[in-house]
Amino acid sequence: MNILITAGGTSEKIDNVRTITNSSTGKLGSAIALAFAETYTQPTDRIYYLCGQNAVIPEADRISIIRIGSVNDLMEKLTGILTTERIDAVIHSMAVSDYTVDTLTTKSSIASSIADFISQNGPSAALEPETLTAQLIEKAFSGTDTLGSENKISSDIEDIVIVMKKTPKVIGMIKKLQPAALLVGFKLLSNVSPETLIDTGYNLLLKNNCDLVLANDLSGINELGHRGFLISPDKTYETFETKSQIAKGIVKRVHAILNNQ
Amino acid sequence: MNILITAGGTSEKIDNVRTITNSSTGKLGSAIALAFAETYTQPTDRIYYLCGQNAVIPEADRISIIRIGSVNDLMEKLTGILTTERIDAVIHSMAVSDYTVDTLTTKSSIASSIADFISQNGPSAALEPETLTAQLIEKAFSGTDTLGSENKISSDIEDIVIVMKKTPKVIGMIKKLQPAALLVGFKLLSNVSPETLIDTGYNLLLKNNCDLVLANDLSGINELGHRGFLISPDKTYETFETKSQIAKGIVKRVHAILNNQ
C-alpha cells in the first residue's frame, strides 16, 4: 500500500525575501502519516509526505519527505508522483493558498492609470454605467508590476498594493490524474456553526469526488484539542476531539474502504 | 554585560490563517548569539534573543528566547526590555517588514468606489488635473476592508487586493530608548554593486546613529558562504566571507568599542 499525504501550508513569493504563507503547522498531517506508519496489521509500503517549508516532519521508516513551496510547485510534484506511481490513497490536508501574486503596484500607479483612461476617452465614455466598472477594473491594473518583483521591493516606496489572482484547485486534479486512488479532502473554516461546517465539507466532497472529507473550524483547534468531523459520501459523519483521534479515525476508514474494494 | 539580539523575520497577518512573512532564517543572528555566549574572555551576563516564529534558535546558557510576530509586537517587546534593563549592545539583525496590511479589498470594490465618485462629482471635478490623482487615490481605497480580515477570507472571492502601509522604522527607536547602548544595524539588498551596498549601509549608519552596520547582498548568501561588509562610522569596512566570520567579527568589534568607553 502506497499513501500520499500533503500537509502544512504553501507559500507564494511576493519578491526575493517576502512571501505570503499559510500558518498551518502540518501537525495534523504529521499525526496522520505516523498513524499510517505505525499500523502494523495493514502495513504501508511507502508514504510520500509533501509538506510546506516550515511544516512539522513525521519521523518513521518508509516516509519520504518532499518540501513544497508555491501552489505551482505542489501541482508539479503531485503530478510527478501521481503519473508515475500507483497510489492507494491521497490524504490532502495541506492548506493550499487560494491566491497567488498577480502584480505588484502602488496606489499612485492605479490612480494615474485611471486618470489617463478618463482623459483619453473623455468623461462620457467613462460614465457609461454598463461598462464603467469593467473598464475601470481593466485600466486601473494595467501598466503595473513595475516594482521589480524579481528582486527586492525598495523600502522607499510609500504605498504598495498587492493584486492577487486565483490559483487552480489542486484537489480537483487528484482523481483526474489517478482515478482509482481513494481521496480524503480537508476543509478549514473560521467561526461557523457545525451545520455550516458539515454542509461546506460535504459540498467539497461532492464537487471533488472525495471518499471522505475532514471538516474543521479554527475555533475548535487549540492547545488542548482539535475537533474534526469526518464526513462520508452519505453525509453521515464521525466526530473527533484530538489530532490523534482524527489521525487514527482516518487510517481506520481508509483501510476499511480499501479492504472492501 | 547584557546583549540584545533581534533575528529572523517579522510576520504580518492578512487574516486568521494567512501572513506575509520574511524568508529570513535567523541563522546569522543565531551565530552572533552563540559567538557572544562562547567568548569566555569577556563573559556576557544575559542575551535577550528576539526572533521570528520560524527562526533558528541558538542553544546556550544565558540566552533568553523571545518569539516575535508582527512589527508592532517587536516594537512592544523591544520597548519593554530597553526601558527596564540596562543593555550594553543591540545587534539588530532581524528582517523587519517595511509594510503591514492596511486594508483588504477587491478590484471590483476599487472600481466601483471610483465610479461612484465620478458620478457624484461630475466628470469635470474628476478631470481637474491638479487634484485628480489625489482624489482618486483617496476614493479608490475608501469603503474597503469589507472582507472580514478578523476571520478567514472566503475562497469564493475572485480578485483580492492587499493594500499595504509603511511600518515605523524600529531601528530608529533603539538609541532613543537607550542612548548609551551600542547599536549594530543590518542592511540586506538584492543584486547591487559592492559600492552601492557600502553606500546604502553607511547611510543607514548615519541616519540611525549606529556604531556599526553589517551590509550584505542576497547574491552573496548561499550554502557555501555569506559575504558581509562591517562598516564603521568613518566608512572604512571589514569584509567577511562566512556567517561564522561575521559573527566573530561583530563580537570582537563590539567588545573593543565597549572596552574603550
Side-chain angles (χ1 to χ4, degrees):
Chain A
M1 191 169 65
N2 293 319
I3 305 288
L4 189 156
I5 297 172
T6 68
T10 54
S11 51
E12 300 297 320
K13 272 193 156 192
I14 300 173
D15 67 6
N16 260 355
V17 299
R18 298 171 176 93
T19 52
I20 296 183
T21 57
N22 190 292
S23 56
S24 172
T25 59
K27 282 180 194 162
L28 181 57
S30 180
I32 297 167
L34 291 174
F36 272 108
E38 289 162 3
T39 303
Y40 300 104
T41 50
Q42 302 226 26
T44 304
D45 296 306
R46 193 159 177 194
I47 299 173
Y48 295 90
Y49 191 79
L50 279 63
C51 65
Q53 301 296 328
N54 298 312
V56 170
I57 292 297
E59 292 194 28
D61 287 345
R62 289 162 286 128
I63 301 183
S64 308
I65 306 292
I66 300 151
R67 290 280 185 188
I68 296 294
S70 65
V71 176
N72 206 40
D73 185 31
L74 172 63
M75 291 198 295
E76 281 178 16
K77 287 180 176 144
L78 201 56
T79 304
I81 296 167
L82 292 175
T83 52
T84 55
E85 305 283 335
R86 188 184 57 77
I87 300 293
D88 296 279
V90 177
I91 320 297
H92 184 42
S93 74
M94 191 168 205
V96 180
S97 179
D98 297 311
Y99 304 95
T100 186
V101 176
D102 184 4
T103 46
L104 288 175
T105 181
T106 62
K107 286 186 184 179
S108 347
S109 166
I110 293 172
S112 61
S113 296
I114 295 169
D116 284 353
F117 171 70
I118 296 176
S119 42
Q120 278 160 28
N121 293 272
S124 60
L127 281 169
E128 282 290 332
E130 295 294 305
T131 52
L132 178 59
T133 304
Q135 287 175 325
L136 285 178
I137 288 176
E138 196 193 322
K139 295 300 160 186
F141 298 98
S142 65
T144 57
D145 213 0
T146 52
L147 300 181
S149 59
E150 288 298 303
N151 288 308
K152 189 186 162 193
I153 300 168
S154 166
S155 55
D156 299 334
I157 299 168
E158 273 303 317
D159 55 341
I160 296 270
V161 175
I162 307 171
V163 182
M164 308 293 285
K165 64 181 175 192
K166 278 268 186 154
T167 52
K169 283 283 177 196
V170 173
I171 192 173
M173 296 167 50
I174 296 168
K175 286 260 179 172
K176 283 174 193 150
L177 290 167
Q178 194 150 149
L182 186 156
L183 175 59
V184 184
F186 284 70
K187 189 76 195 180
L188 176 67
L189 293 177
S190 178
N191 290 309
V192 301
S193 67
E195 294 70 32
T196 305
L197 185 58
I198 301 294
D199 285 346
T200 312
Y202 187 62
N203 287 340
L204 181 79
L205 182 149
L206 292 179
K207 194 171 169 189
N208 298 287
N209 201 12
C210 298
D211 298 276
L212 295 165
V213 162
L214 193 281
N216 49 177
D217 188 286
L218 283 171
S219 65
I221 305 172
N222 52 49
E223 294 289 310
L224 298 169
H226 187 140
R227 176 167 295 161
F229 303 99
L230 188 59
I231 309 169
S232 297
D234 61 3
K235 215 184 168 181
T236 59
Y237 58 86
E238 289 179 87
T239 306
F240 302 111
E241 299 294 343
T242 64
K243 285 182 176 61
S244 165
Q245 280 184 12
I246 294 172
K248 285 174 190 160
I250 287 174
V251 170
K252 195 177 163 189
R253 290 292 304 280
V254 167
H255 283 153
I257 298 170
L258 292 176
N259 289 339
N260 283 335
Q261 278 175 349
Chain B
M1 188 170 67
N2 293 320
I3 304 288
L4 189 156
I5 298 173
T6 68
T10 55
S11 50
E12 301 298 319
K13 272 193 157 194
I14 300 172
D15 67 6
N16 260 354
V17 300
R18 297 172 178 93
T19 51
I20 297 184
T21 57
N22 190 294
S23 56
S24 174
T25 58
K27 281 179 195 163
L28 181 57
S30 180
I32 297 167
L34 292 174
F36 272 108
E38 289 162 4
T39 303
Y40 300 104
T41 49
Q42 303 226 23
T44 304
D45 297 307
R46 195 159 175 194
I47 299 172
Y48 294 91
Y49 191 79
L50 279 65
C51 65
Q53 302 296 327
N54 298 311
V56 170
I57 293 296
E59 291 194 31
D61 288 345
R62 289 162 286 129
I63 301 184
S64 309
I65 305 293
I66 300 151
R67 290 282 186 186
I68 296 294
S70 65
V71 176
N72 206 41
D73 185 30
L74 172 63
M75 290 197 296
E76 282 178 15
K77 288 180 176 146
L78 202 56
T79 304
I81 296 168
L82 291 176
T83 52
T84 55
E85 306 283 336
R86 188 184 58 79
I87 299 293
D88 298 279
V90 178
I91 319 297
H92 184 41
S93 75
M94 191 168 206
V96 180
S97 180
D98 297 311
Y99 304 97
T100 186
V101 176
D102 185 6
T103 47
L104 287 175
T105 181
T106 62
K107 285 187 187 179
S108 346
S109 166
I110 294 172
S112 61
S113 296
I114 295 169
D116 285 355
F117 172 68
I118 296 176
S119 41
Q120 279 161 29
N121 294 275
S124 59
L127 282 169
E128 282 290 334
E130 294 294 305
T131 52
L132 178 60
T133 305
Q135 288 175 326
L136 285 178
I137 287 176
E138 195 193 322
K139 295 300 161 186
F141 298 98
S142 65
T144 56
D145 214 1
T146 53
L147 300 182
S149 59
E150 288 299 303
N151 288 307
K152 189 186 161 192
I153 301 167
S154 165
S155 55
D156 298 334
I157 299 169
E158 274 302 316
D159 56 342
I160 297 269
V161 175
I162 307 170
V163 183
M164 310 292 286
K165 65 182 175 192
K166 277 268 184 154
T167 51
K169 282 283 175 194
V170 172
I171 191 172
M173 297 168 49
I174 296 169
K175 287 260 178 170
K176 284 175 192 149
L177 290 167
Q178 193 151 148
L182 187 156
L183 174 58
V184 184
F186 284 69
K187 189 76 195 178
L188 177 66
L189 293 176
S190 179
N191 288 310
V192 300
S193 67
E195 293 71 35
T196 304
L197 185 57
I198 301 295
D199 285 346
T200 312
Y202 187 62
N203 287 339
L204 181 79
L205 182 149
L206 292 179
K207 194 172 171 189
N208 297 288
N209 200 11
C210 298
D211 299 277
L212 295 165
V213 162
L214 193 281
N216 48 178
D217 189 286
L218 283 171
S219 65
I221 305 172
N222 52 50
E223 294 290 309
L224 298 170
H226 187 140
R227 175 167 297 163
F229 303 99
L230 187 60
I231 309 169
S232 296
D234 61 2
K235 215 184 168 180
T236 60
Y237 58 87
E238 288 179 86
T239 306
F240 302 111
E241 298 294 344
T242 64
K243 285 183 176 59
S244 166
Q245 281 183 10
I246 294 172
K248 285 175 191 159
I250 288 174
V251 170
K252 196 177 162 189
R253 290 293 303 280
V254 167
H255 283 154
I257 298 170
L258 292 176
N259 289 340
N260 282 336
Q261 278 176 349

